[in-house]
Amino acid sequence: MNKIVLLGTGGGPRIWEARSQPSSALVVNNDIYIIDTGDGVCNQLAKANLNPLKIKCIFITHNHSDHVADLGTLLLRSWQSGHKGMINCYGPNPIKKMISSYCEYMSWDINLRTKHENRPQFKSIFEIKEVSSEKKIYEDKNVKVECITVPHGEAVPSYAYKFYVNDKEVVFSGDTSINEKLIKFSNKVDYLIHEVLNLKGVDDIINKTYPGNNEFRKHIIDGHTSTEELGIIATKAKVKNLVLNHLVPTGSPKFDLDEIWLKELAINFKGNVIVGKDLLQIKL
Ligand SMILES: [Zn+2]
Ligand SMILES: [Zn+2]
């Protein structure tokens, strides 16, 4: 069954219990395409009963740690689980350098296992390709993938990805503020999987952690999309289904509640909204 699996849906770098950091999987004809690799992705993959040996590609939207913390770990543990390659990885600069540093960081372990466990060279099972332009970046028998840059504060470049699977289209927004280009890119797609921010929840976080830090508040709000803005995006783009992802504030007992998300989205969007949950599966 072709499907989208939300592996982790909690946006942000802090430590919490409620949701795993952002990562999603697209499963097409049993091949797995991963979008972002936040902390905990390996465990989430196992919980979703997805076979790591079936990972074919990994797409990174941008290099904030909540999206890329476990890219190296996912590659390493896939190799340790018996993946012989090839895993094609796409992401923005300096992703190549980051993975090269990770290989160095883990070289003690990698060298021992290569010698004692008769494995192929770790670096031979994956290839990192830095995405530097907006275009069709990947195609195989299952999917075609396009990307555009999206505005996300100082995180430049940040990408949104669109997957064509048979007659279905799925867009992953990555982290982004509201913008016309993404609205056009998402025009009438079957699923728009989009980050979302509850503004009152942001104030709650600021009051608890950095009281009076308006600069930090502005920084969060400017780089992301509020519930109100997301409703406008979904309506303008006429998306068939809107899936909330990268929910902020994650796990807040006051704000991270289905009824709150749905109520706020309903102000500007009358279509179908799915509140993302870790391990939620959506049939394609
Ligand atoms: Zn993020
Ligand atoms: Zn980010």
Side-chain angles (χ1 to χ4, degrees):
M1 179 183 81
N2 295 344
K3 60 189 174 185
I4 302 161
V5 184
L6 302 181
L7 297 171
T9 54
R14 293 176 305 123
I15 295 177
W16 51 61
E17 184 192 357
R19 297 171 183 270
S20 196
Q21 281 191 329
S23 180
S24 306
L26 199 61
V27 183
V28 185
N29 296 328
N30 289 322
D31 286 328
I32 300 174
Y33 303 81
I34 301 280
I35 300 92
D36 282 336
T37 52
D39 178 28
V41 58
C42 298
N43 204 5
Q44 294 299 99
L45 204 62
K47 282 186 192 164
N49 204 19
L50 296 177
N51 181 354
L53 304 190
K54 291 294 192 181
I55 297 174
K56 197 160 185 183
C57 292
I58 300 174
F59 299 88
I60 299 296
T61 59
H62 65 297
N63 290 319
H64 273 150
S65 59
D66 52 330
H67 298 257
V68 78
D70 269 356
L71 174 57
T73 311
L74 179 59
L75 291 170
L76 187 71
R77 292 188 73 184
S78 296
W79 174 66
Q80 289 165 347
S81 301
H83 206 308
K84 297 207 165 42
M86 173 54 72
I87 302 176
N88 298 293
C89 306
Y90 294 85
N93 175 275
I95 193 102
K96 249 186 187 165
K97 189 165 154 246
M98 289 159 69
I99 289 303
S100 154
S101 302
Y102 180 82
C103 291
E104 184 58 36
Y105 170 65
M106 280 296 176
S107 59
W108 187 88
D109 174 88
I110 290 167
N111 290 340
L112 282 186
R113 289 186 198 279
T114 308
K115 203 156 83 187
H116 296 139
E117 298 175 17
N118 193 26
R119 298 195 182 281
Q121 291 293 318
F122 174 50
K123 285 182 186 171
S124 75
I125 72 144
F126 63 87
E127 194 176 338
I128 310 280
K129 292 166 189 161
E130 287 190 343
V131 180
S132 56
S133 61
E134 301 178 324
K135 56 174 183 190
K136 182 180 88 183
I137 53 165
Y138 178 82
E139 185 168 13
D140 64 18
K141 65 181 194 320
N142 297 324
V143 299
K144 185 174 93 177
V145 186
E146 291 176 355
C147 70
I148 56 164
T149 55
V150 288
H152 178 40
E154 289 163 3
V156 179
S158 289
Y159 290 101
Y161 292 104
K162 175 149 68 174
F163 292 78
Y164 297 84
V165 182
N166 300 325
D167 58 341
K168 297 283 194 302
E169 295 179 20
V170 182
V171 165
F172 292 86
S173 71
D175 285 6
T176 181
S177 48
I178 184 167
N179 69 95
E180 286 300 324
K181 195 158 71 172
L182 184 61
I183 291 171
K184 207 168 148 207
F185 193 57
S186 308
N187 187 41
K188 294 182 181 157
V189 294
D190 297 275
Y191 291 94
L192 171 60
I193 297 164
H194 202 293
E195 70 128 286
V196 67
L197 193 70
N198 180 311
L199 288 184
K200 285 187 214 112
V202 172
D203 287 337
D204 197 51
I205 296 175
I206 302 288
N207 289 338
K208 277 189 191 142
T209 50
Y210 311 96
N213 191 337
N214 285 330
E215 194 54 38
F216 185 59
R217 181 182 186 275
K218 184 174 170 346
H219 176 77
I220 295 180
I221 291 172
D222 286 354
H224 294 279
T225 304
S226 69
T227 46
E228 207 175 305
E229 290 170 329
L230 183 51
I232 295 169
I233 293 168
T235 297
K236 276 186 156 184
K238 302 186 178 73
V239 302
K240 293 177 193 153
N241 298 280
L242 172 65
V243 182
L244 308 188
N245 190 31
H246 194 282
L247 296 102
V248 176
T250 292
S252 159
K254 266 198 290 185
F255 300 103
D256 190 2
L257 302 170
D258 285 13
E259 59 268 31
I260 303 277
W261 293 115
L262 292 171
K263 197 174 123 200
E264 299 226 347
L265 259 301
I267 296 170
N268 288 328
F269 181 58
K270 305 302 171 204
N272 188 37
V273 179
I274 299 168
V275 181
K277 298 245 185 315
D278 288 12
L279 306 178
L280 179 75
Q281 305 207 359
I282 300 166
K283 192 170 173 274
L284 262 191

